Amino acid sequence: MNGSKTYFPAIATRQAEMRALGRLAGPTKDLLLPLIKLQAWPRIKQSDTGFVSRSLNELFEAFGARRVIIDLASPRYDRESEAVACGRAEISALHAPIEGFRAWVDLMRLHAQFIPVVQWTIDQVILRQEVQELLALDRGLVFRLKRSQNWNRDGIDLLGGISFRGSRVLVIVDCEQIALRDDLTLLASAAQSTILYAKSKLAAPDLHFVVIGSSFPSSFSDIHPTTAKLDIRERQIFSLLKESPPLLRQGIQLQYGDHASVYAAERTPSFRGSPRVDYPAPHRWIYHRRPASEGFGVAAKAITDEDDWDKALLCWGAQEIRRAAAGDVAGLNSASPWTAVRINVHLHQQAHFSAGGASVIEEAWTD
């Protein structure tokens, strides 16, 4: 399942995230094993069979036939329209635990490159049926343990007696949204306890662990009205855990993931304030905000003037920042494309930093 993959980003099937993923260079994509949070696309074409199938088409266009981990996003309730209601109904049907999550298992069966994530339920019979049927697909299996769900320990407890021998099992320990006030040592300790608990409960000889989270903020004006440099706190948690003696004694080689520089908690749509350009470096995010009268080009120029700016960085998002800094903001004069730019740079940086290599990719990209 893991192979040569070095980075495990959680990415939803949303327009900005699919655009950012699709514009990565091929060699960079090859370093990723993304955790795709499947949600309904907000609109469909006549040729689409549904809102979920449109999301899958967008994923295939962005990432090709490469293997991906597939999980389910929660149904959308952020706004109401006929399309959103139809999409929500499709996602809700996949969440239904009927017959061992039959709809979910059937969807996974249709796509050979999908590595399935187990959907949790407190019904032991249904959960165990789902796990056995997903194991029968012979693609490996993923458990996602969420901080907000008490790390899903009650679900792990229901799996006693199931043998995972012959299957590669990946456990994703999801710290979810990491607030500025969160004590990282305590959070890392909780994640470590979860890893050790899962290892003790799962009869899986081929067992692997990834820790993910997001400290990307929901608001920037509260931090600083014009500019700031923010530590990537999920990287700090990973650093605390990677060399942890209790994990090393258990032979656990932890791998890194995150929420791809996206705020991980529920919220209303963001980035409606002043023009802002973000620059993700390997260990921190740098942002510049400017008044509407100055615009995104001025913010981009402030980014390229930073000492942290990597002049050798050639990914699509970095090129878009350079273009805007030079005065060309065609297609970049609103908030949405800048979200894709940030995510693209972040994915590129973290993929190559995790791989321990240079971030320059000598491969042309096309827009």
Side-chain angles (χ1 to χ4, degrees):
M1 183 192 302
N2 300 2
S4 61
K5 308 302 182 182
T6 61
Y7 175 43
F8 298 75
I11 306 173
T13 51
R14 291 189 286 249
Q15 185 173 3
E17 289 164 75
M18 291 297 99
R19 186 181 185 195
L21 182 66
R23 281 162 172 73
L24 290 173
T28 302
K29 292 180 183 180
D30 292 339
L31 296 172
L32 272 58
L33 183 54
L35 167 63
I36 302 298
K37 297 177 290 183
L38 179 62
Q39 64 182 46
W41 205 256
R43 66 195 68 83
I44 59 175
K45 302 175 182 177
Q46 285 188 339
S47 57
D48 295 320
T49 59
F51 292 86
V52 169
S53 69
R54 173 66 189 278
S55 285
L56 294 177
N57 289 341
E58 295 287 339
L59 172 60
F60 297 148
E61 183 175 337
F63 208 59
R66 295 173 177 85
R67 302 196 80 190
V68 295
I69 300 168
I70 297 286
D71 196 8
L72 270 175
S74 300
R76 291 179 59 190
Y77 292 95
D78 58 321
R79 60 188 178 86
E80 194 57 68
S81 68
E82 182 179 356
V84 169
C86 291
R88 183 169 61 238
E90 291 185 29
I91 293 294
S92 296
L94 293 171
H95 276 285
I98 300 168
E99 297 181 12
F101 291 90
R102 172 58 50 200
W104 176 243
V105 173
D106 286 347
L107 179 64
M108 295 300 98
R109 186 176 287 113
L110 289 174
H111 303 281
Q113 73 270 42
F114 287 177
I115 304 168
V117 174
V118 171
Q119 304 305 307
W120 294 109
T121 175
I122 59 172
D123 187 313
Q124 185 176 33
V125 172
I126 289 175
L127 179 62
R128 293 168 75 91
Q129 179 182 351
E130 177 198 9
V131 168
Q132 296 286 12
E133 293 200 24
L134 291 176
L135 283 172
L137 298 178
D138 195 27
R139 301 177 197 161
L141 194 62
V142 178
F143 294 100
R144 186 177 183 182
L145 311 182
K146 293 184 178 182
R147 175 188 179 191
S148 63
Q149 303 298 319
N150 192 31
W151 308 101
N152 297 98
R153 288 196 177 202
D154 52 351
I156 291 290
D157 289 340
L158 298 178
L159 299 175
I162 294 181
S163 173
F164 297 93
R165 186 172 298 279
S167 295
R168 179 163 289 193
V169 176
L170 178 65
V171 175
I172 295 175
V173 178
D174 190 350
C175 299
E176 299 177 290
Q177 188 61 34
I178 304 166
L180 285 174
R181 65 181 180 273
D182 284 340
D183 185 314
L184 294 189
T185 302
L186 290 178
L187 183 49
S189 178
Q192 175 176 274
S193 176
T194 299
I195 292 168
L196 294 173
Y197 188 81
K199 182 171 176 59
S200 71
K201 292 291 184 178
L202 295 174
D206 194 2
L207 183 62
H208 304 264
F209 290 90
V210 171
V211 62
I212 71 173
S214 178
S215 56
F216 195 80
S218 62
S219 173
F220 290 81
S221 58
D222 297 338
I223 299 170
H224 193 279
T226 58
T227 184
K229 299 181 180 183
L230 309 174
D231 289 336
I232 300 178
R233 305 189 85 207
E234 49 269 41
R235 264 287 170 198
Q236 295 175 337
I237 289 175
F238 177 74
S239 295
L240 286 171
L241 291 171
K242 185 179 180 182
E243 303 301 328
S244 166
L247 298 186
L248 294 177
R249 283 196 295 269
Q250 292 290 324
I252 294 170
Q253 299 293 322
L254 195 64
Q255 293 177 283
Y256 178 76
D258 58 29
H259 284 265
S261 78
V262 174
Y263 185 76
E266 295 296 327
R267 64 169 178 180
T268 55
S270 61
F271 209 152
R272 294 180 181 272
S274 301
R276 192 186 86 235
V277 175
D278 307 311
Y279 173 56
H283 287 283
R284 58 185 175 180
W285 297 296
I286 301 164
Y287 73 84
H288 281 271
R289 298 171 81 239
R290 290 295 182 267
S293 58
E294 296 184 11
F296 290 99
V298 174
K301 180 63 167 60
I303 288 290
T304 59
D305 287 341
E306 283 278 356
D307 290 340
D308 292 86
W309 175 253
D310 183 355
K311 295 179 180 179
L313 190 61
L314 295 179
C315 64
W316 170 79
Q319 300 286 53
E320 292 291 86
I321 293 173
R322 290 188 183 93
R323 179 165 70 86
D328 180 4
V329 293
L332 293 170
N333 218 4
S334 63
S336 179
W338 285 106
T339 301
V341 166
R342 181 192 74 235
I343 295 171
N344 176 266
V345 176
H346 180 87
L347 292 174
H348 179 96
Q349 296 274 47
Q350 295 304 320
H352 291 281
F353 185 78
S354 296
S359 62
V360 176
I361 289 293
E362 300 296 339
E363 175 174 304
W365 51 267
T366 57
D367 197 357

